[in-house]
Amino acid sequence: MTPVAIGTAPQPLAAWRRVLHDGAPVRLDPAARDTVERGAATVAAIVARGAPVYGVNTGFGKLANARIEADDLATLQRNLVLSHAVGVGAPLADATVRLVMALKIAGLARGASGVRWATVEMLGRMLAADLLPVVPGQGSVGASGDLAPLAHLAAAMIGVGDCRLGGVAMPAADGLARAGLAPIALGPKEGLALLNGTQVSTALALTGLFATERVFQAALVAGAFSLDAALGSDTPFDARIHALRGHAGQRDAAAALRALVAGSEIRASHRDCGKVQDPYCLRCQPQVMGACLDLLRAAAATLATEANAVSDNPLVFPDTGEVLSGGNFHAEPVAFAADQIALALAEIGSLAERRVAMLTDGSISGLPPFLTARPGLNSGFMIAHVTAAALASENKQRAAPASVDSLPTSANQEDHVSMATHAARRLADMAENAAAIVGIELLAAAQGVDFHAPLASSPAVERVRALVRGRVAHLDDDRFLAPDLAAAQDLVHSGAVGAALAAALAPVALG
């Protein structure tokens, strides 16, 4: 597999997607070495002069005015890591930890953090050995950076805490030894550079974004599928309607929907029927899904920038020999992006749930009640819809913005924080909920289209119907449905639905 080469140049979202989803190897670009070493030399010069610089030879946070003697600088950095490794809760997934490490390498490789090349190399060697720190998921407020979770990452580098080597949990010291690596001794500022930064929040938000991308694509497909199941009209997708409003996401969603329904025999069979308008869950798909697409694209742009950012503090400028204190560790952009993704997820699931409700209501869809040929004896999709409703409601509650919350920390020195970390961490669960809702819709829509045989849907929809029917049979009589729902959810979660119709979905790419 082609590695992702990380150096001083920014990486596109596609590179981070490969690290997360494909486990692409990460290669530290040797061309970045001079830039990194110039930063480290600047810190060394400051230490030699004895000038007080925050994080180099002072305490941290509220203790920034405490001066640290040269003999204690190594202890200062080690103590910082140990004291800040206070995360709690379930560990982050291995794939997310890999992405955190890759993002941290990207930030350090810019040369503004003042760390040595060997320290950056250590992260690369750990990734190459599949040696991943165990990082508890809770304990960060998203400023000053993701201190607690990143402290667990740094702790593993010095042989403290726990790690997973090839998926097997063990003490970090043992993992390093088995991988042929020695614990590093942190130099001046290095502990702070490793702890400071938004890499955990950003990795979690990217994980959520990439999962939502798959859900969004599958939901557009499911909406086109449901349109034919309910004998709906494609007139609301006409490009002229959306040109008059002008929103890019709406225009692009409509274009994708037109491609998905093109050539449907079912649609042709009722083009001159007397029905005037469809329910909003069918008719307003370009408006709702387009608005979600605009949100997701905005979030993607923010996260693409943040993934390549230097977000620790203070920052080193070798050209002038200065070390400047700022606030790049404040993860407000990530918190806003995570809230945007959460809103989109809630609405994607809400609209899909409404379509499931419409399909199962024979008075609206014209299909057999609850999509079963023998209602009464069979309940069909009655309770599958209840599950969709439960998940949609749960996602609505989780979509409440996290970024508006703040609690002062560090004796009011850090008096406004972003809450980006848990804003981003909720996204994976929300995406799974939405994937389950869309999976239920795929099953319901396939059932509905089956009732229109021998007429076929569009070539695109028929491709997805074959994909669904390859995993789940038509529901003739009631059966144990939980495995069917799980199989359909997996089609969404895995990206199989979107991958099957990549050309039709090209207009709704995130960028």
Side-chain angles (χ1 to χ4, degrees):
M1 186 183 301
T2 304
V4 173
I6 298 179
T8 56
Q11 294 290 330
L13 281 178
W16 306 123
R17 190 185 287 109
R18 289 184 58 226
V19 171
L20 180 73
H21 284 165
D22 304 334
V26 170
R27 181 176 66 84
L28 182 56
D29 186 352
R33 180 167 188 162
D34 180 65
T35 301
V36 171
E37 290 187 336
R38 288 180 66 225
T42 302
V43 171
I46 289 169
V47 171
R49 291 198 307 268
V53 174
Y54 175 73
V56 176
N57 50 18
T58 72
F60 306 101
K62 194 74 171 181
L63 304 176
N65 292 325
R67 184 70 181 272
I68 310 300
E69 297 301 322
D71 291 345
D72 291 325
L73 295 186
T75 302
L76 172 70
Q77 298 300 317
R78 182 178 177 86
N79 285 353
L80 176 68
V81 171
L82 298 178
S83 65
H84 285 49
V86 292
V88 298
L92 300 180
D94 284 356
T96 301
V97 174
R98 292 187 81 258
L99 184 55
V100 171
M101 296 171 74
L103 294 175
K104 178 56 78 173
I105 291 172
L108 297 179
R110 298 279 295 278
S113 301
V115 303
R116 297 163 298 165
W117 180 252
T119 301
V120 188
E121 278 190 316
M122 179 67 167
L123 284 167
R125 287 171 177 163
M126 290 172 68
L127 274 176
D130 197 21
L131 178 62
L132 307 178
V134 172
V135 179
Q138 294 172 276
S140 173
V141 295
S144 297
D146 295 313
L147 294 173
L150 287 174
H152 285 271
L153 184 151
M157 297 172 69
I158 64 173
V160 175
D162 297 307
C163 70
R164 289 167 59 82
L165 179 61
V168 179
M170 63 188 67
D174 293 347
L176 289 171
R178 293 189 189 187
L181 300 173
I184 64 168
L186 296 171
K189 195 185 175 296
E190 289 190 330
L192 183 59
L194 290 167
L195 268 60
N196 237 197
T198 64
Q199 287 80 23
V200 171
S201 298
T202 304
L204 287 167
L206 285 171
T207 300
L209 176 70
F210 297 148
T212 304
E213 181 179 33
R214 291 176 169 181
V215 171
F216 179 88
Q217 293 173 342
L220 269 184
V221 172
F225 213 159
S226 293
L227 186 80
D228 258 2
L231 301 181
S233 172
D234 59 356
T235 298
F237 305 155
D238 190 298
R240 293 168 293 180
I241 295 172
H242 308 290
L244 286 172
R245 197 174 198 187
H247 293 295
Q250 180 177 325
R251 294 196 310 267
D252 293 343
L257 285 163
R258 289 194 301 274
L260 289 169
V261 301
S264 168
E265 292 178 5
I266 295 173
R267 175 68 184 110
S269 74
H270 65 95
R271 192 166 294 279
D272 298 320
C273 70
K275 188 192 291 188
V276 178
Q277 292 188 129
D278 293 319
Y280 289 179
C281 64
L282 295 177
R283 190 179 2 142
C284 297
Q285 288 185 79
Q287 289 80 7
V288 176
M289 295 297 281
C292 291
L293 180 59
D294 284 337
L295 277 182
L296 293 174
R297 283 173 171 169
T302 296
L303 295 175
T305 298
E306 191 70 18
N308 292 288
V310 182
S311 57
D312 59 288
N313 182 67
L315 297 177
V316 178
F317 295 87
D319 289 346
T320 62
E322 293 176 282
V323 177
L324 304 181
S325 285
N328 280 4
F329 51 70
H330 200 297
E332 194 83 344
V334 181
F336 282 173
D339 281 347
Q340 289 174 311
I341 297 168
L343 288 171
L345 277 169
E347 284 299 278
I348 292 166
S350 177
L351 195 65
E353 180 276 326
R354 287 292 79 204
R355 290 193 296 265
V356 176
M358 177 271 302
L359 290 173
T360 56
D361 185 343
S363 67
I364 301 174
S365 68
L367 294 165
F370 301 109
L371 301 171
T372 178
R374 294 195 290 173
L377 176 63
N378 294 304
S379 295
F381 282 80
M382 180 190 296
I383 307 304
H385 167 249
V386 173
T387 296
L391 295 173
S393 186
E394 185 177 317
N395 269 6
K396 291 174 190 176
Q397 294 168 19
R398 289 187 174 192
S403 57
V404 297
D405 188 22
S406 179
L407 279 174
T409 59
S410 192
N412 283 307
Q413 174 76 4
E414 298 160 4
D415 58 350
H416 183 278
V417 299
S418 71
M419 300 300 179
T421 320
H422 69 262
R425 194 179 66 248
R426 67 183 157 163
L427 297 177
D429 287 341
M430 290 184 70
E432 281 302 313
N433 286 348
I437 298 168
V438 174
I440 291 169
E441 184 186 1
L442 287 171
L443 295 179
Q447 187 83 357
V449 168
D450 286 351
F451 284 123
H452 297 311
L455 294 176
S457 185
S458 67
V461 168
E462 287 298 333
R463 198 173 307 141
V464 173
R465 181 158 65 140
L467 193 66
V468 171
R469 287 289 171 249
R471 301 282 294 275
V472 179
H474 179 86
L475 185 65
D476 291 313
D477 293 297
D478 285 350
R479 62 175 182 257
F480 184 45
L481 275 180
D484 295 356
L485 268 61
Q489 180 179 356
D490 182 64
L491 288 175
V492 178
H493 168 86
S494 67
V497 174
L501 297 174
L505 294 168
V508 296
L510 293 187

